[in-house]
Amino acid sequence: NAGVTQTPKFQVLKTGQSMTLQCAQDMNHNSMYWYRQDPGMGLRLIYYSASEGTTDKGEVPNGYNVSRLNKREFSLRLESAAPSQTSVYFCASSGQWTSGRYEQYFGPGTRLTVT
Amino acid sequence: EDQVTQSPEALRLQEGESSSLNCSYTVSGLRGLFWYRQDPGKGPEFLFTLYSAGEEKEKERLKATLTKKESFLHITAPKPEDSATYLCAVQRESSASKIIFGSGTRLSIRP
């Protein structure tokens, strides 16, 4: 099992460019998440999807859109990149509380720089 | 407002020197408290989930405990490979999937 995979690993964009970060999980998890991690600010939730077909805003959703393509895949899109979106982006997935094992697994991250 | 505060920000220990990391939280109705380990340039790695006050969990040299206001991650006789950033996070009972993270404690173990 690969767990949670993310592409690309690194990306440099110019202000105003758009891009999509891809995430896939092979653990049959219902819930998937997108976080950003900035120095001194910890991990902050951008969007999450509790199940296939549903998405909801997290703490810092402005400037981002998401798509839960199917149970395995959850993508994050930056429509018009800004320097403030320079960060490390992590995708994560988790099982349901009713399963008795709520463990969140993270991907390796995408390091995005916007110039 | 839900809040998670970790202390200290950084901790340097000698190999074999036991210590504890603290995670204080304020949340209305705790559903679960999580501990993660993060190595430089990598994603967080799940360690423990604690669900109720008084609960304890162990894994190798790590032991996590939970009270109504805080959690401790005890590290017994640490080795250099335990060096990492340790993250704490909480989930509120009424919030389906939102998890709030602390800023982490950077742990460095000297040989």
Side-chain angles (χ1 to χ4, degrees), chain A residues 7-63:
Chain A
T7 56
K9 292 187 177 180
F10 300 93
Q11 185 71 48
V12 178
L13 293 178
K14 294 184 178 179
T15 298
Q17 288 185 318
S18 62
M19 78 162 295
T20 299
L21 282 64
Q22 305 288 352
C23 173
Q25 53 92 7
D26 62 2
M27 294 173 282
N28 201 35
H29 285 162
N30 287 312
S31 299
M32 297 186 73
Y33 312 79
W34 276 105
Y35 294 90
R36 60 177 290 173
Q37 187 173 39
D38 303 292
M41 301 196 72
L43 282 156
R44 291 182 293 170
L45 183 65
I46 305 171
Y47 270 93
Y48 68 94
S49 171
S51 62
E52 184 179 354
T54 68
T55 62
D56 208 344
K57 295 179 181 179
E59 182 184 355
V60 288
N62 292 343

Side-chain angles (χ1 to χ4, degrees), chain A residues 31 33 35 37 40-43 45 48 50 57-58 90 97 100-109 111, chain B residues 31-34 36 38 40-46 49 51 87 91 95-103:
Chain A
S31 299
Y33 312 79
Y35 294 90
Q37 187 173 39
M41 301 196 72
L43 282 156
L45 183 65
Y48 68 94
K57 295 179 181 179
F90 289 102
W97 284 97
R101 287 175 58 87
Y102 189 85
E103 299 175 2
Q104 192 173 64
Y105 295 92
F106 283 78
R111 282 143 190 83
Chain B
R31 190 173 209 184
L33 184 141
F34 313 96
Y36 297 85
Q38 187 174 25
K42 296 190 176 181
E45 174 190 348
F46 172 83
T49 303
Y51 296 98
L87 302 173
Q91 184 172 24
S95 179
S97 297
K98 294 182 182 179
I99 299 175
I100 301 165
F101 281 81
S103 296

Side-chain angles (χ1 to χ4, degrees), chain A residues 69-113:
Chain A
L69 305 172
N70 47 55
K71 191 171 186 178
R72 289 188 64 248
E73 298 172 289
F74 189 37
S75 62
L76 178 71
R77 182 161 179 83
L78 286 70
E79 291 291 350
S80 179
S84 61
Q85 294 179 305
T86 293
S87 186
V88 182
Y89 291 85
F90 289 102
C91 177
S93 71
S94 67
Q96 290 182 301
W97 284 97
T98 52
S99 71
R101 287 175 58 87
Y102 189 85
E103 299 175 2
Q104 192 173 64
Y105 295 92
F106 283 78
T110 294
R111 282 143 190 83
L112 175 67
T113 301

